[in-house]
């Protein structure tokens, strides 16, 4: 099609996530298999790479913006802009779940943290008793220094007994079929309680000069 030399791309194709060191494809394909195509960067400088008419330009590209150009009957056409993001991601998915405490009283605020290490882009989902009512507030902190970690914090304000149960986070790798989940059990009581368990009888006898310990388990 001389009026549409580049096959239209969908938005999902224009944002390209690449792991450090991996080759990728800039998918500017032409409707004419014999078209001469040039790849340029954001400074309009040519970038040399292998071109496959059925796929696009193939190679190891730095992060940035790229556009393809071609000429049809003396008229220059440009493709859509393609944005490459370089992400740090290990093949493994180290995940830890943390809770400052696992027993709460009604009205307190539950805080559970899920930390993903050495990966910049993951899909993380929470499952917890109040999820159906969207009771939880989720915050993400992307920490780069001294090492890469994503800190997802789930906060449940005004906890009730119904918030008792499993709190689970599931992380999925951005580019590989890898997932990891972690779980912690949270208990919410209607009110605070103290349970005393004496380890001695109601009546105890002690000999003169004898040292005797009276032990109580307090929960």
């Amino acid at each position: 099609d001389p009026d549409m030399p580049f096959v239209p791309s969908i938005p999902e194709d224009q944002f390209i996530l690449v792991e450090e060191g991996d080759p990728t494809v800039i998918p500017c394909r032409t409707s004419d298999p014999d078209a001469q195509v040039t790849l340029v960067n954001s400074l309009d400088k040519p970038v040399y790479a292998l071109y496959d008419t059925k796929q696009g330009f193939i190679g190891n590209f730095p992060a940035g913006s790229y556009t393809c150009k071609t000429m049809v009957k003396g008229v220059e056409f440009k493709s859509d802009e393609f944005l490459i993001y370089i992400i740090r991601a290990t093949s493994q998915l180290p995940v830890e779940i943390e809770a400052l405490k696992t027993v709460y009283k009604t009205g307190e605020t539950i805080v559970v943290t899920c930390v993903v290490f050495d990966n910049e882009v993951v899909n993380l989902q929470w499952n917890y008793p109040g999820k159906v009512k969207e009771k939880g507030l989720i915050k993400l902190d992307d920490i780069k220094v001294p090492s890469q970690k994503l800190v997802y914090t789930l906060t449940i304000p005004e906890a009730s007994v119904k918030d008792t149960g499993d709190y689970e986070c599931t992380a999925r790798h951005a580019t590989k079929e890898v997932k990891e989940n972690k779980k912690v059990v949270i208990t919410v009581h209607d009110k605070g309680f103290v349970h005393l368990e004496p380890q001695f009888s109601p009546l105890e006898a002690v000999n003169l000069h004898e040292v005797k310990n009276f032990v109580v388990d307090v929960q």
Side-chain angles (χ1 to χ4, degrees):
D1 181 355
D3 296 322
M4 187 70 71
F6 287 106
V7 177
S9 57
I10 59 175
E12 289 81 358
D13 287 340
Q14 293 173 246
F15 296 90
I16 305 167
L17 294 178
V18 190
E19 291 182 28
E20 281 182 321
D22 283 359
T24 190
V25 176
I26 297 176
C28 52
R29 297 172 294 125
T30 56
S31 57
D32 177 4
D34 297 322
Q36 298 299 309
V37 184
T38 304
L39 179 66
V40 296
N41 59 20
S42 58
L43 301 175
D44 208 33
K45 300 290 185 183
V47 177
Y48 300 99
L50 174 68
Y51 184 70
D52 183 322
T53 56
K54 295 181 180 179
Q55 296 184 68
F57 283 97
I58 304 168
N60 291 80
F61 304 104
S65 168
Y66 296 86
T67 308
C68 300
K69 296 181 178 181
T70 190
M71 299 287 290
V72 178
K73 296 180 181 179
V75 178
E76 184 181 77
F77 288 84
K78 290 184 178 181
S79 71
D80 293 321
E81 183 183 37
F82 297 92
L83 297 171
I84 291 182
Y85 295 91
I86 306 296
I87 61 172
R88 189 181 307 163
T90 58
S91 57
Q92 302 300 316
L93 202 55
V95 178
E96 288 183 5
I97 194 166
E98 302 169 354
L100 293 177
K101 59 180 184 176
T102 57
V103 178
Y104 291 84
K105 291 187 298 182
T106 295
E108 290 187 318
T109 300
I110 298 173
V111 179
V112 182
T113 301
C114 195
V115 184
V116 182
F117 298 91
D118 302 325
N119 286 267
E120 285 187 289
V121 182
V122 298
N123 177 17
L124 188 131
Q125 291 182 325
W126 286 97
N127 280 308
Y128 56 97
K131 184 176 181 180
V132 175
K133 295 184 179 180
E134 297 182 346
K135 192 173 181 181
L137 306 173
I138 299 171
K139 184 182 77 166
L140 169 61
D141 292 309
D142 187 354
I143 299 171
K144 306 289 187 185
V145 179
S147 59
Q148 172 63 46
K149 62 181 179 180
L150 298 172
V151 181
Y152 296 84
T153 304
L154 173 67
T155 304
I156 311 289
E158 295 292 326
S160 70
V161 175
K162 293 181 180 179
D163 292 309
T164 294
D166 294 343
Y167 285 69
E168 183 178 53
C169 66
T170 302
R172 287 179 171 81
H173 204 285
T175 58
K176 295 182 174 64
E177 291 297 320
V178 178
K179 75 173 184 176
E180 186 71 33
N181 60 10
K182 296 288 182 177
K183 182 177 72 173
V184 64
V185 179
I186 300 289
T187 304
V188 182
H189 293 286
D190 187 38
K191 57 186 177 180
F193 68 91
V194 176
H195 177 68
L196 301 177
E197 190 174 316
Q199 297 183 3
F200 49 86
S201 304
L203 179 64
E204 292 280 350
V206 182
N207 294 323
L208 186 62
H209 304 306
E210 179 186 356
V211 176
K212 187 154 187 172
N213 292 322
F214 295 88
V215 179
V216 181
D217 282 341
V218 182
Q219 296 181 2

